[in-house]
Amino acid sequence: MRGAALDLILLGPPGAGKGTQARRLGAAFNLVQLSTGDLLRDAVVAGTKAGLAAKSIMEAGGLAPAETVIAIVDGRLDHPDISGGVIFDGFPRSIAQAEALQHLLEKRGRTLALVLSLEVNEDAVVERISGRYTCERCGEGFHDRFKRPRIEGVCDVCGSSAFQRRADDSAETVRDRLAAYRRDTAPLIEYYAQKHLLAPIDAMSTIDTVSDRIAARVSAVSKDRGVKPVP
Ligand code: AP5
């Protein structure tokens, strides 16, 4: 038993480092990463109804229909692997989604522990996104400048040599994704501040330094909640 579940949100604009940090945090604290972007991309590849509803919107940098996203999250929260806690990565993305998340957690007897808000400037975000690629097999993220594989062309984690870049990472689509962030998602910063859940994180440092800052905040809140450390 680890005590109460530790449910966290990683909030931030596209390219802020949510996915990168969610993977590290998940490994360090034994939490499940729930990325709505990944789940939607899986649905697009699988050609499901949700994928068909989201595909063209994602390609244009807009937000997928809220009911589609909420249904996907609801289904994912039914898996038993989330009992120790979830890192919501890319969800919620609007006040309406935040209210839906509260309801989804409440009906399972859970409450949010913390909202980590990654603070970055927009120039950095564009640079981070334009150099990004991932391992096709295990999903590990890399960057042309900031995070190259230890052996060129070979994934550090699984050894695969197949990599991919995202279709929505073009300069034009990134501008539209940033506009959607400013319009729909940024108001969540004030929303969670008022609920005393917000932990601003300066994310303009190296990946390791940002991880340390996040781990310090999560350790403190997990102690408060009586969550036992992962051995
Ligand atoms: P999603 O997949 O969530 O994308 P996003 O929010 O745009 O975020 P990214 O994945 O682009 O960036 P990230 O913050 O995870 O950064 P990363 O760690 O990769 O969503 C895609 C689309 O799906 C949306 O546009 C929308 O259409 C739809 N969607 C998803 N969720 C939805 C929802 N809830 N409702 C409606 N629609 C939804 O880092 C970027 C790069 O920078 C990497 O190469 C990394 O190595 C590097 N890096 C990271 N940190 C640092 C650092 N500190 N220093 C230097 N480099 C760094």
PDB file of all heavy atoms in Angstrom, residues 13-20 36-37 40-41 58 62-64 69 90-91 93 97 128 132 142-143 146 166 168 177 203 205-207 210, ligand 1:
ATOM      1  N   PRO A  13       2.185  25.399 -22.081  1.00  0.00           N
ATOM      2  CA  PRO A  13       1.965  25.515 -23.518  1.00  0.00           C
ATOM      3  C   PRO A  13       2.591  24.351 -24.282  1.00  0.00           C
ATOM      4  O   PRO A  13       3.406  23.611 -23.724  1.00  0.00           O
ATOM      5  CB  PRO A  13       2.657  26.842 -23.877  1.00  0.00           C
ATOM      6  CG  PRO A  13       3.594  27.112 -22.773  1.00  0.00           C
ATOM      7  CD  PRO A  13       3.054  26.457 -21.554  1.00  0.00           C
ATOM      8  N   PRO A  14       2.242  24.194 -25.565  1.00  0.00           N
ATOM      9  CA  PRO A  14       2.881  23.167 -26.380  1.00  0.00           C
ATOM     10  C   PRO A  14       4.392  23.329 -26.319  1.00  0.00           C
ATOM     11  O   PRO A  14       4.897  24.454 -26.405  1.00  0.00           O
ATOM     12  CB  PRO A  14       2.374  23.443 -27.810  1.00  0.00           C
ATOM     13  CG  PRO A  14       1.488  24.617 -27.748  1.00  0.00           C
ATOM     14  CD  PRO A  14       1.275  25.002 -26.328  1.00  0.00           C
ATOM     15  N   GLY A  15       5.105  22.235 -26.155  1.00  0.00           N
ATOM     16  CA  GLY A  15       6.569  22.289 -26.147  1.00  0.00           C
ATOM     17  C   GLY A  15       7.170  22.702 -24.830  1.00  0.00           C
ATOM     18  O   GLY A  15       8.397  22.810 -24.704  1.00  0.00           O
ATOM     19  N   ALA A  16       6.365  22.911 -23.797  1.00  0.00           N
ATOM     20  CA  ALA A  16       6.903  23.348 -22.498  1.00  0.00           C
ATOM     21  C   ALA A  16       7.733  22.256 -21.834  1.00  0.00           C
ATOM     22  O   ALA A  16       8.565  22.533 -20.969  1.00  0.00           O
ATOM     23  CB  ALA A  16       5.766  23.769 -21.579  1.00  0.00           C
ATOM     24  N   GLY A  17       7.478  21.003 -22.230  1.00  0.00           N
ATOM     25  CA  GLY A  17       8.192  19.884 -21.607  1.00  0.00           C
ATOM     26  C   GLY A  17       7.281  18.986 -20.790  1.00  0.00           C
ATOM     27  O   GLY A  17       7.751  18.179 -19.981  1.00  0.00           O
ATOM     28  N   LYS A  18       5.967  19.081 -21.014  1.00  0.00           N
ATOM     29  CA  LYS A  18       5.017  18.284 -20.221  1.00  0.00           C
ATOM     30  C   LYS A  18       5.280  16.783 -20.393  1.00  0.00           C
ATOM     31  O   LYS A  18       5.375  16.046 -19.410  1.00  0.00           O
ATOM     32  CB  LYS A  18       3.568  18.598 -20.635  1.00  0.00           C
ATOM     33  CG  LYS A  18       3.181  20.060 -20.479  1.00  0.00           C
ATOM     34  CD  LYS A  18       1.737  20.315 -20.873  1.00  0.00           C
ATOM     35  CE  LYS A  18       1.417  20.034 -22.326  1.00  0.00           C
ATOM     36  NZ  LYS A  18       2.085  20.927 -23.286  1.00  0.00           N
ATOM     37  N   GLY A  19       5.385  16.354 -21.656  1.00  0.00           N
ATOM     38  CA  GLY A  19       5.590  14.921 -21.914  1.00  0.00           C
ATOM     39  C   GLY A  19       6.923  14.435 -21.351  1.00  0.00           C
ATOM     40  O   GLY A  19       7.000  13.384 -20.704  1.00  0.00           O
ATOM     41  N   THR A  20       7.968  15.227 -21.578  1.00  0.00           N
ATOM     42  CA  THR A  20       9.303  14.877 -21.077  1.00  0.00           C
ATOM     43  C   THR A  20       9.278  14.712 -19.564  1.00  0.00           C
ATOM     44  O   THR A  20       9.763  13.712 -19.011  1.00  0.00           O
ATOM     45  CB  THR A  20      10.306  16.012 -21.435  1.00  0.00           C
ATOM     46  OG1 THR A  20      10.289  16.209 -22.844  1.00  0.00           O
ATOM     47  CG2 THR A  20      11.712  15.690 -20.951  1.00  0.00           C
ATOM     48  N   THR A  36      -3.464  13.092 -23.079  1.00  0.00           N
ATOM     49  CA  THR A  36      -4.596  13.069 -24.013  1.00  0.00           C
ATOM     50  C   THR A  36      -4.094  13.206 -25.452  1.00  0.00           C
ATOM     51  O   THR A  36      -4.712  12.659 -26.365  1.00  0.00           O
ATOM     52  CB  THR A  36      -5.625  14.171 -23.680  1.00  0.00           C
ATOM     53  OG1 THR A  36      -4.951  15.383 -23.368  1.00  0.00           O
ATOM     54  CG2 THR A  36      -6.498  13.746 -22.517  1.00  0.00           C
ATOM     55  N   GLY A  37      -2.976  13.906 -25.654  1.00  0.00           N
ATOM     56  CA  GLY A  37      -2.411  13.988 -27.009  1.00  0.00           C
ATOM     57  C   GLY A  37      -2.046  12.601 -27.515  1.00  0.00           C
ATOM     58  O   GLY A  37      -2.389  12.215 -28.638  1.00  0.00           O
ATOM     59  N   LEU A  40      -5.199  10.522 -28.152  1.00  0.00           N
ATOM     60  CA  LEU A  40      -5.878  10.947 -29.384  1.00  0.00           C
ATOM     61  C   LEU A  40      -5.101  10.491 -30.618  1.00  0.00           C
ATOM     62  O   LEU A  40      -5.697  10.034 -31.596  1.00  0.00           O
ATOM     63  CB  LEU A  40      -6.052  12.474 -29.400  1.00  0.00           C
ATOM     64  CG  LEU A  40      -7.132  13.022 -28.455  1.00  0.00           C
ATOM     65  CD1 LEU A  40      -6.992  14.540 -28.289  1.00  0.00           C
ATOM     66  CD2 LEU A  40      -8.527  12.698 -28.983  1.00  0.00           C
ATOM     67  N   ARG A  41      -3.763  10.585 -30.566  1.00  0.00           N
ATOM     68  CA  ARG A  41      -2.976  10.121 -31.723  1.00  0.00           C
ATOM     69  C   ARG A  41      -3.165   8.614 -31.926  1.00  0.00           C
ATOM     70  O   ARG A  41      -3.276   8.146 -33.052  1.00  0.00           O
ATOM     71  CB  ARG A  41      -1.490  10.478 -31.541  1.00  0.00           C
ATOM     72  CG  ARG A  41      -1.176  11.937 -31.879  1.00  0.00           C
ATOM     73  CD  ARG A  41       0.301  12.262 -31.792  1.00  0.00           C
ATOM     74  NE  ARG A  41       0.783  12.337 -30.422  1.00  0.00           N
ATOM     75  CZ  ARG A  41       0.655  13.406 -29.623  1.00  0.00           C
ATOM     76  NH1 ARG A  41       0.091  14.508 -30.079  1.00  0.00           N
ATOM     77  NH2 ARG A  41       1.115  13.389 -28.394  1.00  0.00           N
ATOM     78  N   MET A  58      -6.750  18.311 -34.898  1.00  0.00           N
ATOM     79  CA  MET A  58      -5.378  18.225 -34.381  1.00  0.00           C
ATOM     80  C   MET A  58      -4.381  18.693 -35.439  1.00  0.00           C
ATOM     81  O   MET A  58      -3.434  19.410 -35.131  1.00  0.00           O
ATOM     82  CB  MET A  58      -5.062  16.789 -33.954  1.00  0.00           C
ATOM     83  CG  MET A  58      -5.815  16.348 -32.720  1.00  0.00           C
ATOM     84  SD  MET A  58      -5.570  14.606 -32.377  1.00  0.00           S
ATOM     85  CE  MET A  58      -3.917  14.618 -31.681  1.00  0.00           C
ATOM     86  N   GLY A  62      -5.991  22.974 -33.500  1.00  0.00           N
ATOM     87  CA  GLY A  62      -7.104  23.341 -32.605  1.00  0.00           C
ATOM     88  C   GLY A  62      -7.302  22.297 -31.519  1.00  0.00           C
ATOM     89  O   GLY A  62      -6.509  21.354 -31.403  1.00  0.00           O
ATOM     90  N   LEU A  63      -8.371  22.464 -30.736  1.00  0.00           N
ATOM     91  CA  LEU A  63      -8.657  21.500 -29.663  1.00  0.00           C
ATOM     92  C   LEU A  63      -9.699  20.492 -30.129  1.00  0.00           C
ATOM     93  O   LEU A  63     -10.719  20.869 -30.718  1.00  0.00           O
ATOM     94  CB  LEU A  63      -9.173  22.218 -28.417  1.00  0.00           C
ATOM     95  CG  LEU A  63      -8.173  23.127 -27.692  1.00  0.00           C
ATOM     96  CD1 LEU A  63      -8.769  23.603 -26.364  1.00  0.00           C
ATOM     97  CD2 LEU A  63      -6.848  22.419 -27.438  1.00  0.00           C
ATOM     98  N   ALA A  64      -9.462  19.235 -29.844  1.00  0.00           N
ATOM     99  CA  ALA A  64     -10.419  18.174 -30.174  1.00  0.00           C
ATOM    100  C   ALA A  64     -11.703  18.400 -29.382  1.00  0.00           C
ATOM    101  O   ALA A  64     -11.682  19.062 -28.333  1.00  0.00           O
ATOM    102  CB  ALA A  64      -9.796  16.820 -29.821  1.00  0.00           C
ATOM    103  N   VAL A  69     -12.657  13.946 -25.756  1.00  0.00           N
ATOM    104  CA  VAL A  69     -11.502  13.860 -24.865  1.00  0.00           C
ATOM    105  C   VAL A  69     -11.921  13.359 -23.476  1.00  0.00           C
ATOM    106  O   VAL A  69     -11.269  12.485 -22.889  1.00  0.00           O
ATOM    107  CB  VAL A  69     -10.817  15.243 -24.750  1.00  0.00           C
ATOM    108  CG1 VAL A  69      -9.650  15.185 -23.798  1.00  0.00           C
ATOM    109  CG2 VAL A  69     -10.361  15.732 -26.108  1.00  0.00           C
ATOM    110  N   GLY A  90      -1.485  17.384 -20.625  1.00  0.00           N
ATOM    111  CA  GLY A  90      -2.277  17.929 -21.735  1.00  0.00           C
ATOM    112  C   GLY A  90      -3.774  17.901 -21.469  1.00  0.00           C
ATOM    113  O   GLY A  90      -4.563  18.151 -22.372  1.00  0.00           O
ATOM    114  N   PHE A  91      -4.162  17.597 -20.281  1.00  0.00           N
ATOM    115  CA  PHE A  91      -5.573  17.584 -19.872  1.00  0.00           C
ATOM    116  C   PHE A  91      -5.629  18.013 -18.413  1.00  0.00           C
ATOM    117  O   PHE A  91      -4.842  17.495 -17.620  1.00  0.00           O
ATOM    118  CB  PHE A  91      -6.159  16.175 -20.020  1.00  0.00           C
ATOM    119  CG  PHE A  91      -7.619  16.092 -19.629  1.00  0.00           C
ATOM    120  CD1 PHE A  91      -8.611  16.411 -20.535  1.00  0.00           C
ATOM    121  CD2 PHE A  91      -7.988  15.708 -18.344  1.00  0.00           C
ATOM    122  CE1 PHE A  91      -9.962  16.336 -20.177  1.00  0.00           C
ATOM    123  CE2 PHE A  91      -9.334  15.634 -17.979  1.00  0.00           C
ATOM    124  CZ  PHE A  91     -10.310  15.944 -18.905  1.00  0.00           C
ATOM    125  N   ARG A  93      -7.600  21.195 -20.663  1.00  0.00           N
ATOM    126  CA  ARG A  93      -7.130  22.259 -21.541  1.00  0.00           C
ATOM    127  C   ARG A  93      -8.113  23.412 -21.603  1.00  0.00           C
ATOM    128  O   ARG A  93      -7.958  24.306 -22.442  1.00  0.00           O
ATOM    129  CB  ARG A  93      -6.960  21.692 -22.953  1.00  0.00           C
ATOM    130  CG  ARG A  93      -5.515  21.401 -23.318  1.00  0.00           C
ATOM    131  CD  ARG A  93      -5.519  20.758 -24.672  1.00  0.00           C
ATOM    132  NE  ARG A  93      -4.321  21.020 -25.416  1.00  0.00           N
ATOM    133  CZ  ARG A  93      -3.269  20.221 -25.393  1.00  0.00           C
ATOM    134  NH1 ARG A  93      -3.240  19.148 -24.642  1.00  0.00           N
ATOM    135  NH2 ARG A  93      -2.214  20.505 -26.132  1.00  0.00           N
ATOM    136  N   GLN A  97     -13.140  21.472 -19.275  1.00  0.00           N
ATOM    137  CA  GLN A  97     -12.461  20.180 -19.066  1.00  0.00           C
ATOM    138  C   GLN A  97     -12.013  20.035 -17.608  1.00  0.00           C
ATOM    139  O   GLN A  97     -12.030  18.932 -17.053  1.00  0.00           O
ATOM    140  CB  GLN A  97     -11.258  20.043 -20.001  1.00  0.00           C
ATOM    141  CG  GLN A  97     -11.633  19.844 -21.458  1.00  0.00           C
ATOM    142  CD  GLN A  97     -10.432  19.517 -22.332  1.00  0.00           C
ATOM    143  OE1 GLN A  97      -9.343  19.195 -21.846  1.00  0.00           O
ATOM    144  NE2 GLN A  97     -10.611  19.605 -23.647  1.00  0.00           N
ATOM    145  N   ARG A 128      11.965  24.324 -29.059  1.00  0.00           N
ATOM    146  CA  ARG A 128      11.848  22.960 -28.525  1.00  0.00           C
ATOM    147  C   ARG A 128      11.008  22.087 -29.466  1.00  0.00           C
ATOM    148  O   ARG A 128      11.339  20.935 -29.720  1.00  0.00           O
ATOM    149  CB  ARG A 128      11.216  22.987 -27.129  1.00  0.00           C
ATOM    150  CG  ARG A 128      12.171  23.524 -26.081  1.00  0.00           C
ATOM    151  CD  ARG A 128      11.522  23.493 -24.709  1.00  0.00           C
ATOM    152  NE  ARG A 128      12.334  24.213 -23.728  1.00  0.00           N
ATOM    153  CZ  ARG A 128      12.042  24.300 -22.448  1.00  0.00           C
ATOM    154  NH1 ARG A 128      10.953  23.728 -21.977  1.00  0.00           N
ATOM    155  NH2 ARG A 128      12.829  24.968 -21.622  1.00  0.00           N
ATOM    156  N   ARG A 132      12.107  18.549 -32.102  1.00  0.00           N
ATOM    157  CA  ARG A 132      11.687  17.350 -31.367  1.00  0.00           C
ATOM    158  C   ARG A 132      11.480  16.134 -32.270  1.00  0.00           C
ATOM    159  O   ARG A 132      10.987  16.234 -33.379  1.00  0.00           O
ATOM    160  CB  ARG A 132      10.365  17.672 -30.673  1.00  0.00           C
ATOM    161  CG  ARG A 132       9.617  16.440 -30.208  1.00  0.00           C
ATOM    162  CD  ARG A 132       8.441  16.770 -29.398  1.00  0.00           C
ATOM    163  NE  ARG A 132       7.419  17.504 -30.108  1.00  0.00           N
ATOM    164  CZ  ARG A 132       6.343  17.984 -29.511  1.00  0.00           C
ATOM    165  NH1 ARG A 132       6.167  17.822 -28.223  1.00  0.00           N
ATOM    166  NH2 ARG A 132       5.442  18.647 -30.201  1.00  0.00           N
ATOM    167  N   PHE A 142      13.227  12.910 -27.926  1.00  0.00           N
ATOM    168  CA  PHE A 142      14.587  13.429 -28.141  1.00  0.00           C
ATOM    169  C   PHE A 142      14.495  14.812 -28.770  1.00  0.00           C
ATOM    170  O   PHE A 142      13.405  15.267 -29.130  1.00  0.00           O
ATOM    171  CB  PHE A 142      15.370  12.485 -29.070  1.00  0.00           C
ATOM    172  CG  PHE A 142      15.628  11.137 -28.457  1.00  0.00           C
ATOM    173  CD1 PHE A 142      14.762  10.070 -28.693  1.00  0.00           C
ATOM    174  CD2 PHE A 142      16.701  10.942 -27.597  1.00  0.00           C
ATOM    175  CE1 PHE A 142      14.972   8.835 -28.107  1.00  0.00           C
ATOM    176  CE2 PHE A 142      16.919   9.708 -27.006  1.00  0.00           C
ATOM    177  CZ  PHE A 142      16.056   8.649 -27.268  1.00  0.00           C
ATOM    178  N   HIS A 143      15.652  15.463 -28.879  1.00  0.00           N
ATOM    179  CA  HIS A 143      15.680  16.797 -29.481  1.00  0.00           C
ATOM    180  C   HIS A 143      17.003  16.963 -30.225  1.00  0.00           C
ATOM    181  O   HIS A 143      18.048  16.528 -29.731  1.00  0.00           O
ATOM    182  CB  HIS A 143      15.536  17.868 -28.391  1.00  0.00           C
ATOM    183  CG  HIS A 143      15.276  19.230 -28.941  1.00  0.00           C
ATOM    184  ND1 HIS A 143      16.264  20.046 -29.429  1.00  0.00           N
ATOM    185  CD2 HIS A 143      14.111  19.917 -29.106  1.00  0.00           C
ATOM    186  CE1 HIS A 143      15.727  21.175 -29.857  1.00  0.00           C
ATOM    187  NE2 HIS A 143      14.427  21.121 -29.670  1.00  0.00           N
ATOM    188  N   PHE A 146      18.836  19.668 -27.737  1.00  0.00           N
ATOM    189  CA  PHE A 146      18.826  19.586 -26.267  1.00  0.00           C
ATOM    190  C   PHE A 146      18.904  18.164 -25.729  1.00  0.00           C
ATOM    191  O   PHE A 146      19.259  17.953 -24.578  1.00  0.00           O
ATOM    192  CB  PHE A 146      17.563  20.259 -25.707  1.00  0.00           C
ATOM    193  CG  PHE A 146      17.428  21.691 -26.117  1.00  0.00           C
ATOM    194  CD1 PHE A 146      16.315  22.131 -26.812  1.00  0.00           C
ATOM    195  CD2 PHE A 146      18.427  22.602 -25.820  1.00  0.00           C
ATOM    196  CE1 PHE A 146      16.190  23.450 -27.187  1.00  0.00           C
ATOM    197  CE2 PHE A 146      18.316  23.935 -26.199  1.00  0.00           C
ATOM    198  CZ  PHE A 146      17.195  24.357 -26.890  1.00  0.00           C
ATOM    199  N   ARG A 166       6.310  14.644 -35.336  1.00  0.00           N
ATOM    200  CA  ARG A 166       4.856  14.807 -35.348  1.00  0.00           C
ATOM    201  C   ARG A 166       4.391  15.708 -36.485  1.00  0.00           C
ATOM    202  O   ARG A 166       5.023  16.717 -36.782  1.00  0.00           O
ATOM    203  CB  ARG A 166       4.394  15.397 -34.005  1.00  0.00           C
ATOM    204  CG  ARG A 166       4.020  14.313 -33.032  1.00  0.00           C
ATOM    205  CD  ARG A 166       3.804  14.799 -31.654  1.00  0.00           C
ATOM    206  NE  ARG A 166       2.926  15.956 -31.512  1.00  0.00           N
ATOM    207  CZ  ARG A 166       2.639  16.496 -30.341  1.00  0.00           C
ATOM    208  NH1 ARG A 166       3.139  15.973 -29.240  1.00  0.00           N
ATOM    209  NH2 ARG A 166       1.871  17.555 -30.255  1.00  0.00           N
ATOM    210  N   ASP A 168       1.937  17.696 -36.507  1.00  0.00           N
ATOM    211  CA  ASP A 168       1.472  19.031 -36.090  1.00  0.00           C
ATOM    212  C   ASP A 168       2.603  19.901 -35.539  1.00  0.00           C
ATOM    213  O   ASP A 168       2.361  20.893 -34.874  1.00  0.00           O
ATOM    214  CB  ASP A 168       0.329  18.919 -35.067  1.00  0.00           C
ATOM    215  CG  ASP A 168       0.751  18.215 -33.773  1.00  0.00           C
ATOM    216  OD1 ASP A 168       1.831  17.590 -33.757  1.00  0.00           O
ATOM    217  OD2 ASP A 168       0.012  18.308 -32.780  1.00  0.00           O
ATOM    218  N   ARG A 177      -1.474  26.282 -32.337  1.00  0.00           N
ATOM    219  CA  ARG A 177      -1.552  25.581 -31.036  1.00  0.00           C
ATOM    220  C   ARG A 177      -1.298  26.559 -29.887  1.00  0.00           C
ATOM    221  O   ARG A 177      -1.933  26.493 -28.838  1.00  0.00           O
ATOM    222  CB  ARG A 177      -0.542  24.422 -31.008  1.00  0.00           C
ATOM    223  CG  ARG A 177      -1.009  23.239 -31.844  1.00  0.00           C
ATOM    224  CD  ARG A 177       0.104  22.293 -32.214  1.00  0.00           C
ATOM    225  NE  ARG A 177       0.796  21.726 -31.076  1.00  0.00           N
ATOM    226  CZ  ARG A 177       1.979  21.118 -31.152  1.00  0.00           C
ATOM    227  NH1 ARG A 177       2.601  21.013 -32.330  1.00  0.00           N
ATOM    228  NH2 ARG A 177       2.532  20.614 -30.088  1.00  0.00           N
ATOM    229  N   ALA A 203      10.448  26.626 -16.038  1.00  0.00           N
ATOM    230  CA  ALA A 203      10.844  25.538 -16.942  1.00  0.00           C
ATOM    231  C   ALA A 203      11.804  26.017 -18.021  1.00  0.00           C
ATOM    232  O   ALA A 203      11.928  25.398 -19.078  1.00  0.00           O
ATOM    233  CB  ALA A 203       9.595  24.908 -17.560  1.00  0.00           C
ATOM    234  N   SER A 205      15.043  26.145 -17.665  1.00  0.00           N
ATOM    235  CA  SER A 205      16.373  25.592 -17.395  1.00  0.00           C
ATOM    236  C   SER A 205      16.517  24.249 -18.112  1.00  0.00           C
ATOM    237  O   SER A 205      15.631  23.855 -18.867  1.00  0.00           O
ATOM    238  CB  SER A 205      16.556  25.404 -15.894  1.00  0.00           C
ATOM    239  OG  SER A 205      16.309  26.622 -15.233  1.00  0.00           O
ATOM    240  N   THR A 206      17.616  23.547 -17.810  1.00  0.00           N
ATOM    241  CA  THR A 206      17.813  22.246 -18.466  1.00  0.00           C
ATOM    242  C   THR A 206      16.735  21.260 -18.017  1.00  0.00           C
ATOM    243  O   THR A 206      16.083  21.456 -16.983  1.00  0.00           O
ATOM    244  CB  THR A 206      19.172  21.642 -18.079  1.00  0.00           C
ATOM    245  OG1 THR A 206      19.145  21.392 -16.673  1.00  0.00           O
ATOM    246  CG2 THR A 206      20.333  22.550 -18.437  1.00  0.00           C
ATOM    247  N   ILE A 207      16.613  20.188 -18.782  1.00  0.00           N
ATOM    248  CA  ILE A 207      15.598  19.175 -18.464  1.00  0.00           C
ATOM    249  C   ILE A 207      15.834  18.634 -17.043  1.00  0.00           C
ATOM    250  O   ILE A 207      14.888  18.489 -16.260  1.00  0.00           O
ATOM    251  CB  ILE A 207      15.637  18.037 -19.511  1.00  0.00           C
ATOM    252  CG1 ILE A 207      15.210  18.574 -20.892  1.00  0.00           C
ATOM    253  CG2 ILE A 207      14.752  16.865 -19.083  1.00  0.00           C
ATOM    254  CD1 ILE A 207      15.330  17.595 -22.049  1.00  0.00           C
ATOM    255  N   VAL A 210      14.766  21.203 -14.341  1.00  0.00           N
ATOM    256  CA  VAL A 210      13.301  21.291 -14.248  1.00  0.00           C
ATOM    257  C   VAL A 210      12.754  20.059 -13.514  1.00  0.00           C
ATOM    258  O   VAL A 210      11.880  20.169 -12.648  1.00  0.00           O
ATOM    259  CB  VAL A 210      12.666  21.442 -15.652  1.00  0.00           C
ATOM    260  CG1 VAL A 210      11.140  21.464 -15.555  1.00  0.00           C
ATOM    261  CG2 VAL A 210      13.171  22.715 -16.334  1.00  0.00           C
TER     262      VAL A 210
HETATM  263  P1  AP5 B   1      -0.340  17.263 -27.053  1.00  0.00           P
HETATM  264  O1  AP5 B   1       0.239  16.005 -27.524  1.00  0.00           O
HETATM  265  O2  AP5 B   1      -0.801  17.370 -25.637  1.00  0.00           O
HETATM  266  O3  AP5 B   1       0.690  18.413 -27.399  1.00  0.00           O
HETATM  267  P2  AP5 B   1       1.025  19.809 -26.715  1.00  0.00           P
HETATM  268  O4  AP5 B   1       0.253  20.215 -25.523  1.00  0.00           O
HETATM  269  O5  AP5 B   1       0.967  20.741 -27.870  1.00  0.00           O
HETATM  270  O6  AP5 B   1       2.375  19.572 -26.101  1.00  0.00           O
HETATM  271  P3  AP5 B   1       3.587  18.912 -26.777  1.00  0.00           P
HETATM  272  O7  AP5 B   1       3.464  17.429 -26.757  1.00  0.00           O
HETATM  273  O8  AP5 B   1       3.826  19.564 -28.124  1.00  0.00           O
HETATM  274  O9  AP5 B   1       4.765  19.440 -25.870  1.00  0.00           O
HETATM  275  P4  AP5 B   1       5.199  19.028 -24.410  1.00  0.00           P
HETATM  276  O10 AP5 B   1       4.866  20.130 -23.472  1.00  0.00           O
HETATM  277  O11 AP5 B   1       4.755  17.642 -24.051  1.00  0.00           O
HETATM  278  O12 AP5 B   1       6.779  19.082 -24.649  1.00  0.00           O
HETATM  279  P5  AP5 B   1       7.838  17.897 -24.812  1.00  0.00           P
HETATM  280  O13 AP5 B   1       8.066  17.243 -23.514  1.00  0.00           O
HETATM  281  O14 AP5 B   1       7.489  17.040 -25.983  1.00  0.00           O
HETATM  282  O15 AP5 B   1      -1.587  17.680 -27.956  1.00  0.00           O
HETATM  283  C1  AP5 B   1      -1.537  17.618 -29.372  1.00  0.00           C
HETATM  284  C2  AP5 B   1      -2.914  17.974 -29.920  1.00  0.00           C
HETATM  285  O16 AP5 B   1      -3.900  17.026 -29.445  1.00  0.00           O
HETATM  286  C3  AP5 B   1      -3.461  19.341 -29.476  1.00  0.00           C
HETATM  287  O17 AP5 B   1      -2.983  20.381 -30.304  1.00  0.00           O
HETATM  288  C4  AP5 B   1      -4.971  19.104 -29.624  1.00  0.00           C
HETATM  289  O18 AP5 B   1      -5.380  19.190 -30.951  1.00  0.00           O
HETATM  290  C5  AP5 B   1      -5.138  17.665 -29.166  1.00  0.00           C
HETATM  291  N1  AP5 B   1      -5.408  17.552 -27.712  1.00  0.00           N
HETATM  292  C6  AP5 B   1      -4.591  16.994 -26.756  1.00  0.00           C
HETATM  293  N2  AP5 B   1      -5.153  17.069 -25.547  1.00  0.00           N
HETATM  294  C7  AP5 B   1      -6.359  17.680 -25.720  1.00  0.00           C
HETATM  295  C8  AP5 B   1      -7.397  18.075 -24.846  1.00  0.00           C
HETATM  296  N3  AP5 B   1      -7.305  17.848 -23.524  1.00  0.00           N
HETATM  297  N4  AP5 B   1      -8.493  18.688 -25.375  1.00  0.00           N
HETATM  298  C9  AP5 B   1      -8.589  18.938 -26.698  1.00  0.00           C
HETATM  299  N5  AP5 B   1      -7.629  18.594 -27.600  1.00  0.00           N
HETATM  300  C10 AP5 B   1      -6.524  17.984 -27.109  1.00  0.00           C
HETATM  301  O19 AP5 B   1       9.135  18.767 -25.152  1.00  0.00           O
HETATM  302  C11 AP5 B   1       9.307  19.369 -26.422  1.00  0.00           C
HETATM  303  C12 AP5 B   1      10.784  19.200 -26.870  1.00  0.00           C
HETATM  304  O20 AP5 B   1      11.594  20.025 -26.047  1.00  0.00           O
HETATM  305  C13 AP5 B   1      11.334  17.773 -26.739  1.00  0.00           C
HETATM  306  O21 AP5 B   1      12.157  17.507 -27.842  1.00  0.00           O
HETATM  307  C14 AP5 B   1      12.160  17.805 -25.437  1.00  0.00           C
HETATM  308  O22 AP5 B   1      13.284  16.925 -25.518  1.00  0.00           O
HETATM  309  C15 AP5 B   1      12.610  19.258 -25.383  1.00  0.00           C
HETATM  310  N6  AP5 B   1      12.662  19.761 -24.013  1.00  0.00           N
HETATM  311  C16 AP5 B   1      11.793  19.519 -22.989  1.00  0.00           C
HETATM  312  N7  AP5 B   1      12.158  20.174 -21.876  1.00  0.00           N
HETATM  313  C17 AP5 B   1      13.266  20.903 -22.216  1.00  0.00           C
HETATM  314  C18 AP5 B   1      14.133  21.789 -21.496  1.00  0.00           C
HETATM  315  N8  AP5 B   1      13.920  22.074 -20.186  1.00  0.00           N
HETATM  316  N9  AP5 B   1      15.189  22.334 -22.149  1.00  0.00           N
HETATM  317  C19 AP5 B   1      15.426  22.053 -23.455  1.00  0.00           C
HETATM  318  N10 AP5 B   1      14.649  21.192 -24.187  1.00  0.00           N
HETATM  319  C20 AP5 B   1      13.576  20.644 -23.580  1.00  0.00           C
END
